[in-house]
Amino acid sequence: MNDNRGNLLEEIRQRLETLNKSERKVATVIMRDPNSAIRLTITALAQEAGVSEPTVNRFCRGFDERGYPDFKLRLAQSLAGGMPYVTRNVEFDDSTEEYTDKIFSSTIAAIDSARKTLRPPVITRAVDYLSQAKQIFFFGMGASGPVALDAQHKFFRLNIPVMAYEDALMQRMVAAGAHTGDVIVIISYTGRTRELVEIAGIGRESGATVIGITTEHSPLAKECTLLLSVPSQEDTDIYMPMTSRLIQLTMLDVLATGVTLRRGVDFQRYLKRIKDSLAPTRFANE
Amino acid sequence: MNDNRGNLLEEIRQRLETLNKSERKVATVIMRDPNSAIRLTITALAQEAGVSEPTVNRFCRGFDERGYPDFKLRLAQSLAGGMPYVTRNVEFDDSTEEYTDKIFSSTIAAIDSARKTLRPPVITRAVDYLSQAKQIFFFGMGASGPVALDAQHKFFRLNIPVMAYEDALMQRMVAAGAHTGDVIVIISYTGRTRELVEIAGIGRESGATVIGITTEHSPLAKECTLLLSVPSQEDTDIYMPMTSRLIQLTMLDVLATGVTLRRGVDFQRYLKRIKDSLAPTRFANE
DNA sequence: ATAATGTATGTCAAATAACTACAAAAAGGC
DNA sequence: GCCTTTTTGTAGTTATTTGACATACATTAT
């Protein structure tokens, strides 16, 4: 819906040869300092270019715009600083400002790229399973442990029996004792932890639905009923998992939201009640 | 020269609470469909919002703009790049694709806005404290509990004695028993949990350095030696904390990275050794 | 060479949009 | 409940854009 015709500035440059004398004057003025051009009125721009106002207007229409204001709007968009959410690695001589910015940028870039690889039908299926689950278990080890706990926290509010386990032995026992209708969500960045791969198999044998939040094509992914794939972040997480956790967490936010929506509008009142129950533990708001 | 003040849409959303009735109407109309809003005249927008034209004009000036046209220009720039980093709230009739996209977008927008409010000198000081700490404790309750655990995980790798506590009584005891040179990091979204505010005070009395990762001007913030402020996300987290955790986590990534850098280049070898220690627990990489 | 035609550009007026000053209404404090 | 302050709207003013039309210039045909 967004009329994202290419960069306007680029288009002007390309068509420069095609334009007639006066229109070329207008183009030149705009290209010389586009950032100022967007703040000029048609009168000012016309004067600047030494042409008449209607000429500017005609020039604008030549670029498939309704008139000068629309043209300016599109020009402004072309100029808007593209987002520099690039993944750059932290260097050992970075200043505080530099590494802070790099980490934030990489994080944003990672989440953005995760968003692009998402497949809504898969999420819908995951939400189907979760909202019909008799019980939900979240398994995560190491850095994914806290993610599992966070998920427990979130799903608990949804009035579903839910537990998180970080311990491999507990996970194994729970998986072995699971029933049809139970859902086990296994969170693992690498998808290669032997223990978890085995546990996934055990869970499935017990009849549980096993949802994996992990890397595509990994051994764990193959053992799961349903895979929510997290793109692997090549460079960033060399020595510590950073962005991967955040993507997993966001994914779980999406799932929790999906389940909430299935509950219907009335459920919001229940959520509010849970939230309000915390009020006495807090200082009043302002 | 390009006045790239932050994403305007985001700013509107943040300041939504601050606005008065009529101005909020205007904000709502703009946020509902920003892409159309930029094509409206002040008259049309006023009518759409059910307010008078001067109200719209005043609204624009409230955002440090000279008037409506300039406001529109900046709005257009915020929308550019086809990438709507707009925070739109999830509606009850959203499709999977819609709510997924909204959550990812809000998350990205929130982290981006957090990035902009960061003050590098404060981070430097936090890293100073942390890298010289005899011991580090991370305290978090409720949704911030998993964040504290994640931090423990991360700082453990940095070869620092570190513990995370979710339990208020343990926190209280640890705070009371802390010494000068110990650092207590308290993570709280609201900054209003009575228990934690008290604990912060106790920790400081014991001589520990108390770093708060919480909302500015909150009771907790006032009790801390150093405040790392997390911008509060009014709308998004109504019924569940979502973006706040992610910002806290990213903040902790930054701190952990800062401490790592202080350790010097050799330290990387140590980190690699820790990472490699996990290899036997995993299936080989391809 | 000149008339005829078409294109390019400008002038001016009408319409539209944005802003200002002021007045009315609503909200808040005493 | 009255006064003060804040919020919102009305009406008039100014600025901006656009459209209709006219003129100038170039091109081609006679």
Side-chain angles (χ1 to χ4, degrees), chain B residues 60-101:
Chain B
C60 297
R61 297 209 186 173
F63 288 87
D64 280 335
E65 289 298 338
R66 269 179 42 208
Y68 183 70
D70 279 325
F71 177 88
K72 247 179 19 174
L73 223 50
R74 191 163 142 225
L75 186 62
Q77 297 210 337
S78 296
L79 256 45
M83 218 169 258
Y85 285 138
V86 187
T87 307
R88 292 159 304 156
N89 286 322
V90 174
E91 309 284 342
F92 264 85
D93 54 356
D94 277 350
S95 68
T96 303
E97 189 157 9
E98 282 167 338
Y99 68 75
T100 302
D101 207 66

Side-chain angles (χ1 to χ4, degrees), chain B residues 21-30 32 40-53 55-56 59:
Chain B
K21 219 169 359 159
S22 303
E23 297 193 334
R24 200 170 309 170
K25 281 190 214 162
V26 178
T28 310
V29 171
I30 292 172
R32 197 167 51 213
L40 297 176
T41 67
I42 193 170
T43 318
L45 180 57
Q47 188 163 33
E48 192 81 12
V51 301
S52 69
E53 288 157 40
T55 300
V56 176
F59 171 82

Side-chain angles (χ1 to χ4, degrees), chain A residues 45-62:
Chain A
L45 181 57
Q47 189 163 33
E48 193 80 13
V51 300
S52 72
E53 288 153 38
T55 300
V56 177
N57 193 272
R58 282 186 284 259
F59 170 83
C60 297
R61 290 216 226 274

